[in-house]
């Protein structure tokens, strides 16, 4: 009887081995403090005091910051889900190096409480939110398939140029020292679902 029980237990566990082994084939997670090029990652976490530079890569999951990183630069990189960047001390650059290509953010792109933010030529499946930042701020040539909000930033200069959006557009409660340029932002004549399908 004991042999039969052991055999049944082994048989019951056997199907579990398949998914566990296939999970190992997924791209790795990354705790980013350095430069990474031509790589694929699942989720990226950017820790306190880090300088994270990712170029010409693919991130299938989420990007988020913890603590107060020094630099976050993600360029020419497709992003599968959400980007939540907060409390960056020196610089945030998300988009295209030299604004030549059109990276994708699969869900939301949000940058808050950071310094010197540039978001350029991104296609975002849902919301683009840039809030409570300092230094300089540029949001240009992006496409948001839902809302585009630039709110509560206190910066030296603010530029929101040539963006398109399918939901609501809000540039509000910002203050600036040198200049504020908000122009040529257009509402897409499609609902958010149609925008996502169009790519």
């Amino acid at each position: 009887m004991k042999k039969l029980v052991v055999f049944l237990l082994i048989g019951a566990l056997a199907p579990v081995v398949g998914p566990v082994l296939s999970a190992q084939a997924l791209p790795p997670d990354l705790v980013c403090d350095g430069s990474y090029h031509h790589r694929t990652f699942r989720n990226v976490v950017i820790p306190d005091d880090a300088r994270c530079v990712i170029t010409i890569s693919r991130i299938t999951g989420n990007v988020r910051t913890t603590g107060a990183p020094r630099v976050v630069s993600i360029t020419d990189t497709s992003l599968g889900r959400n980007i939540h960047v907060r409390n960056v001390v020196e610089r945030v650059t998300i988009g295209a190096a030299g604004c030549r290509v059109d990276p994708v953010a699969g869900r939301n792109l949000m940058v808050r409480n950071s310094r010197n933010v540039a978001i350029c030529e991104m296609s975002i499946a849902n919301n683009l939110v840039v809030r409570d930042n300092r230094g300089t701020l540029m949001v240009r040539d992006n496409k948001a398939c839902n809302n585009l909000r630039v709110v509560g930033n206190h910066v030296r200069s603010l530029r929101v140029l040539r963006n398109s959006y399918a939901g609501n557009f809000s540039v509000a409660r910002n203050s600036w020292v040198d200049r504020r340029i908000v122009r040529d932002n257009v509402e897409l004549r499609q609902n958010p679902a149609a925008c996502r399908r169009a790519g």
Side-chain angles (χ1 to χ4, degrees), residues 83 85 108-112 117 119 124 126-133 139 144 147-151 153:
I83 306 168
V85 174
N108 300 294
L109 196 166
M110 299 183 186
V111 179
R112 298 182 62 184
V117 176
I119 302 172
I124 300 127
N126 202 22
N127 300 304
L128 171 57
V129 179
V130 183
R131 184 173 177 177
D132 302 328
N133 298 289
V139 179
N147 303 309
L148 195 159
R149 300 184 68 221
V150 179
V151 179
N153 301 283

Side-chain angles (χ1 to χ4, degrees), residues 21-162:
L21 291 175
S22 63
Q24 293 174 352
L26 292 172
D29 288 341
L30 172 66
V31 177
C32 185
D33 188 4
S35 295
Y36 302 86
H37 315 284
H38 301 283
R39 303 276 299 274
T40 298
F41 301 106
R42 184 171 48 207
N43 298 303
V44 174
V45 175
I46 305 165
D48 188 55
D49 205 43
R51 293 177 178 274
C52 175
V53 177
I54 300 174
T55 60
I56 315 173
S57 294
R58 182 169 177 251
I59 300 167
T60 62
N62 299 304
V63 175
R64 67 182 176 88
T65 57
T66 61
R70 303 199 71 76
V71 172
V72 174
S73 178
I74 303 173
T75 57
D76 295 344
T77 294
S78 293
L79 299 127
R81 294 178 67 86
N82 300 301
I83 306 168
H84 288 226
V85 174
R86 298 183 69 168
N87 304 321
V88 178
V89 175
E90 293 178 16
R91 173 173 53 93
V92 177
T93 306
I94 300 174
C99 299
R100 292 186 300 271
V101 299
D102 189 10
V104 173
R107 299 232 176 137
N108 300 294
L109 196 166
M110 299 183 186
V111 179
R112 298 182 62 184
N113 301 315
S114 297
R115 291 188 61 82
N116 303 321
V117 176
I119 302 172
C120 175
E121 288 198 358
M122 290 292 295
S123 291
I124 300 127
N126 202 22
N127 300 304
L128 171 57
V129 179
V130 183
R131 184 173 177 177
D132 302 328
N133 298 289
R134 300 164 308 285
T136 60
L137 174 59
M138 177 183 69
V139 179
R140 72 175 177 92
D141 300 307
N142 299 290
K143 176 184 174 183
C145 281
N146 202 351
N147 303 309
L148 195 159
R149 300 184 68 221
V150 179
V151 179
N153 301 283
H154 304 287
V155 294
R156 192 166 65 249
S157 64
L158 183 148
R159 289 179 287 167
V160 183
L161 301 167
R162 298 185 303 273

Side-chain angles (χ1 to χ4, degrees), residues 3-18:
K3 290 181 181 177
L4 179 60
V5 171
V6 171
F7 178 75
L8 289 174
L9 284 173
I10 291 171
L13 292 174
V16 175
V17 173

